[in-house]
Amino acid sequence: MLFLTATCIGFATGALRSVLSLALVATLILFVFGGAALVSAGPVSFLSLGIAIAGYNVGVMALMGAVFAFDGRRQTA
């Protein structure tokens, strides 16, 4: 579920077509994980952070792949 959520966030952020928003959301993922680790009562698994970052990157790459695929099919008159 974490991977799917991060993928959707990456897909939605990539649709904004702003490098600033891509970097800001990636930084916010790290800050939110850090905040959750600070208030956590038990040990924190960094595997969850890796899964979230991987899902975010997959979402951004999937959107860019779709943009390139559909842009190449466009015909010019």
Side-chain angles (χ1 to χ4, degrees):
M1 190 67 177
L2 178 63
F3 186 81
L4 180 61
T5 303
T7 303
C8 291
I9 291 171
F11 198 82
T13 306
L16 295 174
R17 294 182 182 242
S18 169
V19 176
L20 180 65
S21 65
L22 288 169
L24 181 66
V25 171
T27 306
L28 286 174
I29 289 173
L30 294 174
F31 283 144
V32 168
F33 181 82
L38 286 175
V39 298
S40 176
V44 179
S45 171
F46 286 98
L47 180 63
S48 297
L49 178 62
I51 291 171
I53 291 171
Y56 178 73
N57 288 332
V58 165
V60 171
M61 288 187 289
L63 179 73
M64 294 303 147
V67 166
F68 289 138
F70 287 114
D71 191 41
R73 298 179 68 183
R74 195 179 303 177
Q75 295 180 358
T76 58

